Structure formats: C-alpha cells, structure tokens
Amino acid sequence: MSDRAEKRRVLTEEDLTYVVEQLSIFDAYPGAHPWNRAELWAAVMDLHLAAKTRAEREALVELIGALRVLDVLDRHFLRPEPKGTR
C-alpha cells in the first residue's frame, strides 16, 4: 500500500464503537459496545439461524448491509495499532 493511502487511515476502534452506537439497530447485539467485529458478526449469524418470519429476515438483511459498511470502514480506514498494544 502506498504511503498516501496509509495517511488516509484516520479511524480508531473508539471511532468505530461510536459509529456502531449511533446505529440503534445494533443495540441488542454483543460486539457493538465496544466494537468487536467478530463478535458482532457471530451475533448476526446466530440471528440468521433463528430467523423464521419475513420481518426477521428483512431485519437480518438490514443488519448484514450495515455490517458490510462497517467492515469497509474497518478494513480501509482503521488506524493500525502499534505492535504490542493489543
């Protein structure tokens, strides 16, 4: 990746936590507070297995769409933490 692209990475995990907190659709799921990508995806996939009604499936599609956007933010704009801090 070029140096220019590295300079654009300006989000922190706290920033992503704030974004997720503003999306009320994630309030009931673990991994939203604080941001934990794997835990949040696991919670949504559990919902996928339990979805029986059309309304539940539509809610699932909305959650997956929002998670995809968050994944893009995570992959492309999250500032890498210095080694040894995690």
Side-chain angles (χ1 to χ4, degrees):
M1 187 177 290
S2 71
D3 290 334
R4 182 176 164 200
E6 280 297 320
K7 290 177 185 174
R8 289 188 326 204
R9 294 175 185 250
V10 295
L11 294 176
T12 64
E13 286 189 17
E14 291 81 23
D15 295 330
L16 283 176
T17 297
Y18 176 77
V19 170
V20 172
E21 287 172 350
Q22 300 308 305
L23 300 170
S24 60
I25 61 173
F26 292 115
D27 286 347
Y29 302 101
H33 313 283
W35 165 252
N36 183 320
R37 178 187 180 277
E39 193 173 343
L40 192 53
W41 267 108
V44 171
M45 291 298 103
D46 287 342
L47 178 65
H48 173 68
L49 295 174
K52 302 229 183 296
T53 67
R54 181 178 180 159
E56 290 172 338
R57 290 189 298 270
E58 288 173 353
L60 176 67
V61 169
E62 185 177 332
L63 287 169
I64 290 173
L67 276 173
R68 285 181 176 167
V69 171
L70 291 169
D71 277 348
V72 169
L73 292 174
D74 189 310
R75 272 194 317 265
H76 296 289
F77 298 103
L78 187 66
R79 182 182 311 133
E81 292 184 10
K83 299 216 187 274
T85 61
R86 225 176 195 195

